[in-house]
Amino acid sequence: MFTEGIREIFLEGADKHGWLNNRDSNIEIEKAKEIAKKILLRGLSIEDVAEDTGLSTDIVTSIANQLEKTPAVI
């Protein structure tokens, strides 16, 4: 799709601006959120989940609130 020269320019710009690093950290955060959901469903406190996942208590509280709004599947 890209020539080698265009690819090099794109990768240099991505490296300079940290675009690829942000992508990796976003993936890590999404994984931590999924783990937080599972832990919350097991009944751990918001504070414990935040400590175990490295997420803020605000994020974990938001996830807990979303889980409360989600109907249970039987």
Side-chain angles (χ1 to χ4, degrees), residues 12-54:
E12 285 175 17
D15 185 46
K16 178 180 176 183
H17 296 287
W19 296 337
L20 299 177
N21 295 339
N22 290 340
R23 181 177 162 199
D24 290 342
S25 66
N26 288 339
I27 291 170
E28 300 263 337
I29 291 170
E30 291 306 314
K31 286 180 183 179
K33 287 180 179 180
E34 289 300 315
I35 293 168
K37 286 179 190 178
K38 291 178 183 180
I39 298 171
L40 285 167
L41 288 171
R42 292 187 177 151
L44 263 65
S45 71
I46 289 172
E47 292 78 14
D48 287 342
V49 174
E51 184 178 331
D52 290 350
T53 60

Side-chain angles (χ1 to χ4, degrees), residues 1 3-4 7 10 12 16 19 24 28-29 33 39-40 51 54 56-58 61-63 68 70 73-74:
M1 183 171 168
T3 65
E4 189 61 31
R7 182 177 179 276
F10 175 78
E12 285 175 17
K16 178 180 176 183
W19 296 337
D24 290 342
E28 300 263 337
I29 291 170
K33 287 180 179 180
I39 298 171
L40 285 167
E51 184 178 331
S56 71
T57 55
D58 290 338
T61 300
S62 175
I63 294 168
E68 287 177 2
T70 306
V73 178
I74 300 176

